[in-house]
Amino acid sequence: MELQRRASVQFLTITALIAMLGVGVLVTVQLTTTPEPTKNQPTGGAKVAALQQLLRQIPDQTQLEAARAQASSGLAADLVAAVKQVDTLPAKSAVYPIARAEIRRWNQQIIELARALAKPETPTTIEAGINLLLQIPETTSEYAEAQAQIEKWRPLLVAAPPPVTVALPPPVAVAPRPTAARVNEPTSLFSDIALDDEQTIDSVTLRVLSARVQNDGSFQLNAQLTNNSGQRYVFLPGLVKLTDSNEVDRLGRVELSLDRGIVPPEGVVQLTLNGRSKWQPPYRIRFEENRISGQRDFNLPVVP
């Protein structure tokens, strides 16, 4: 429906300008029979030149209207895409001042969304806010404000304390003694479990490939996101959840094969989900980021 509306507006705009151009040509013909134009009255040639300039700005106006339509959703991913879409308009464009004003407005919305994501201020929520602010282009006036907010948040990202090294006493020589045969001694430090659980939403597929379970019960899930859509898929790693059967989040951390959670069209990102409890399936992988990814919020059951 939105595309039809924009197409209708563009069609009416072009039709009106062509009609105006015809009037300008008619005025030019009429002025050739007029003795002399009055003072401050534009000539027919000037009117035609002005109308031709309006026709030349139609592509830029169309690009701006498309960005406005996308940003109207209020979703962070759409706001970021709208900013990048019109940030490329040249300074000589007739719509350049309007485009920069819209960019400033959309960037402020992105900054406010990032601040909302970072509440309450925990390492996970702050990481989500930082990842969103990193999408503001360096060529925009709000880039400095975004970077200042990132620097304000960085000290709050509490890193895990380094391991404490304890000096051990030298070993004491003890005479060897026979030991009883061990029963069920593990032959490996871990076991791999093949999985094949997947969910596809709007041409974006989340698939769990395997689980690696350590002897102490800790585990990792290996998954991948495949983007077969025509647009980027954006998600915040800090908001991914791995819930157990009691709806308790058991995710320790997420490792990505990309720098950030931005999957380009036809792109694939590998995810490693490290659990913070013993391996007790079933689990669910959840992407609860309505403001970031719209309706593409995964809720994938993981069952061996």
Side-chain angles (χ1 to χ4, degrees):
M1 183 64 70
E2 182 63 30
L3 291 174
Q4 292 178 351
R5 183 186 69 80
R6 285 169 22 208
S8 299
V9 171
Q10 294 172 14
F11 176 76
L12 291 175
T13 302
I14 294 173
T15 303
L17 288 173
I18 292 174
M20 293 169 65
L21 181 59
V23 172
V25 173
L26 179 60
V27 169
T28 302
V29 174
Q30 291 176 347
L31 287 175
T32 57
T33 61
T34 304
E36 186 124 347
T38 58
K39 187 176 182 180
N40 297 329
Q41 180 180 356
T43 64
K47 288 184 178 181
V48 171
L51 292 173
Q52 289 176 339
Q53 182 179 2
L54 290 175
L55 286 173
R56 284 193 297 269
Q57 80 179 47
I58 286 178
D60 292 347
Q61 183 68 42
T62 301
Q63 186 174 343
L64 176 60
E65 292 303 324
R68 281 172 167 168
Q70 186 167 14
S72 64
S73 69
L75 300 175
D78 288 339
L79 290 167
V80 169
V83 169
K84 293 183 178 180
Q85 186 173 1
V86 298
D87 189 39
T88 58
L89 289 175
K92 65 181 180 180
S93 172
V95 300
Y96 181 81
I98 301 174
R100 302 318 292 184
E102 292 287 50
I103 287 176
R104 288 192 293 271
R105 183 168 66 89
W106 296 333
N107 273 343
Q108 286 300 326
Q109 289 181 259
I110 294 171
I111 292 173
E112 292 305 316
L113 285 175
R115 287 170 175 164
L117 282 174
K119 293 180 180 179
E121 290 186 342
T122 65
T124 299
T125 58
I126 290 174
E127 181 184 0
I130 289 176
N131 286 340
L132 182 53
L133 289 182
L134 289 173
Q135 307 307 310
I136 293 181
E138 188 175 356
T139 53
T140 63
S141 58
E142 289 69 40
Y143 177 79
E145 180 180 354
Q147 292 299 309
Q149 182 63 71
I150 290 173
E151 293 305 315
K152 180 180 178 182
W153 279 337
R154 285 195 190 279
L156 302 179
L157 291 173
V158 180
V164 178
T165 303
V166 180
L168 299 176
V172 178
V174 179
R177 59 181 180 179
T179 58
R182 296 181 180 179
V183 181
N184 296 329
E185 183 175 4
T187 58
S188 176
L189 297 177
F190 59 84
S191 59
D192 287 328
I193 302 173
L195 300 171
D196 192 15
D197 301 311
E198 68 176 49
Q199 182 181 13
T200 300
I201 304 177
D202 294 340
S203 300
V204 179
T205 300
L206 172 63
R207 183 182 179 189
V208 180
L209 305 175
S210 64
R212 171 162 290 188
V213 183
Q214 308 292 336
N215 286 339
D216 61 0
S218 60
F219 67 95
Q220 294 176 336
L221 287 177
N222 298 313
Q224 69 180 20
L225 267 171
T226 303
N227 183 9
N228 292 319
S229 69
Q231 297 179 342
R232 297 184 309 165
Y233 175 69
V234 180
F235 70 100
L236 298 180
L239 296 186
V240 177
K241 293 184 179 180
L242 179 66
T243 58
D244 60 15
S245 57
N246 295 320
E247 301 299 322
V248 177
D249 187 12
R250 298 298 186 182
L251 182 62
R253 70 181 187 278
V254 179
E255 300 174 12
L256 304 178
S257 60
L258 300 178
D259 291 338
R260 293 189 287 270
I262 303 176
V263 188
E266 308 302 327
V268 178
V269 58
Q270 305 294 330
L271 299 91
T272 301
L273 286 70
N274 295 273
R276 54 182 176 88
S277 66
K278 303 294 184 182
W279 170 249
Q280 293 180 342
Y283 294 97
R284 284 183 179 272
I285 300 178
R286 301 180 185 271
F287 283 37
E288 298 180 353
E289 325 171 27
N290 289 321
R291 287 173 295 181
I292 303 299
S293 57
Q295 299 301 315
R296 292 174 178 167
D297 295 333
F298 290 96
N299 185 8
L300 174 61
V302 179
V303 182

